[in-house]
Amino acid sequence: MTPGQAAAPQRAADALQRATGALSTAAMARMDQDMPWFRDLSAEDRSWVGVIVQAGIRGFVDWYREGDQPAPGGTEMVASVFGVAPRALAGVINLQQTVDLVRLSIEVVESNVDTLLEPSDAADVRAAVLRYAREVAFATAQVYARAAEQRGAWDARLEALVVDAVLRSEPDETLLSRASALGWAGRGEVAVVLGPVPADRSESTTFEEVRRSARSAGMDALCAVQGDRLVVVLGGVTDPRAAAETVTALFGDGPVVVGPVAADLGQAHVSARAALSALRAAPGWPQAPRPVRSTDLLPERALAGDGHARRHLIDEVYLPLLHARGTLIETISAYFEHGSSIEATARALFVHPNTVRYRLRQSAELTGFSATDARDAFTLEIALVLGRQSGRTL
């Protein structure tokens, strides 16, 4: 290399360094003219963008002055170009806008090469600018990828805290604000869905698919994994079973249960408590539908020792039958004692078979459970046993 060739990078670098301020000003003017989003930034954020542009130009000049050195990349590039600006700026300007900013700044430098440099230096500088610009683009993507990764990790921890508070029946004044930070709209009633964790998908993939399915059905969703259990809190629910059906396929093999609807996220622990009890009791009904409502598992829950299920069967099934006009509870008891035979029940009660049929229809309307259906009959029998054991009449 001749002395003249060796001096060329230094001569071009000196010229570029002298023009750094002018190039930065030209780039900012182009941004203000061509980028509407830049005009909408606050004065402070615009000034930080200007600092980044200047840092990028100075970084290029310093690198070019060294000559034949590999372009800085990764952490070094991030520190030299973006380290001058606050981390919060990544939340103000998105990745596409930053790429546009870098592209425009390079165009400004390229468009001024001929006026700033001697013709013999211009071609080499243009090639160097393109090489450096590629590294800046990689560094830009790295900044935003790292910010997204940190934000995603924080969101996951926050979401786990919210779901855990629901399951532990520990709602407080921070619950809704934390959920809102995760995008929870707080619209309509809430239901909790529980089931096995899928074995063929990662946790993050499962959560994304659950949220996508919920959004397509007009609902919010919060997700967490606790041991081998996937927990989904759905908002904007009208029918709990229909809501659960939208995400059931995303659970692993095994029973999927949904609790009753709660008024809002602050009351979602009621739905969670019923769903947890139902999931523990679900093996007692192998033929249960998927998903199954927690109320459909009341007899299994009562047999497993769930006090809430026992009280529900007594208050909502046994006592209404006991207090009903006529002899509904005697008719149902006789019906079960005589093998669910209407004719045998009628003979035992000295009434017409149609009277038995009428009373059974009345009891079904009153309790929601029909003695002529095998599953409902099981629930009614458990309710009668629990009611008699309680000794309650009121």
Side-chain angles (χ1 to χ4, degrees), residues 327-375:
T327 56
L328 294 188
I329 198 163
E330 290 82 1
T331 300
I332 291 178
S333 298
Y335 180 72
F336 292 148
E337 290 170 5
H338 291 82
S340 300
S341 167
I342 290 190
E343 289 73 15
T345 303
R347 289 193 297 270
L349 297 176
F350 302 103
V351 297
H352 193 279
N354 285 343
T355 302
V356 176
R357 294 186 180 94
Y358 174 71
R359 291 176 182 175
L360 293 180
R361 284 197 300 270
Q362 278 188 311
S363 68
E365 293 171 0
L366 184 64
T367 65
F369 297 100
S370 172
T372 59
D373 176 84
R375 176 67 192 176

Side-chain angles (χ1 to χ4, degrees), residues 77 82 95 99 102 106 132-142:
M77 175 68 76
F82 297 99
L95 178 58
V99 170
V102 172
I106 295 208
Y132 192 83
R134 181 182 61 191
E135 298 301 330
V136 170
F138 287 142
T140 301
Q142 186 179 42

Side-chain angles (χ1 to χ4, degrees), residues 151-170 175 178-179 181-182 203 207 211 221-227 229-233 265:
R151 185 167 56 252
W154 168 252
D155 286 351
R157 289 193 294 270
L158 187 62
E159 189 169 16
L161 285 173
V162 171
V163 174
D164 187 63
V166 170
L167 291 181
R168 290 179 178 272
S169 302
E170 296 176 351
L175 181 65
R178 287 175 173 175
L182 295 167
E203 185 175 302
F207 290 0
R211 295 189 192 101
L222 296 172
C223 308
V225 167
Q226 295 194 339
R229 184 173 61 203
L230 173 61
V231 184
V232 178
V233 182
L265 192 61

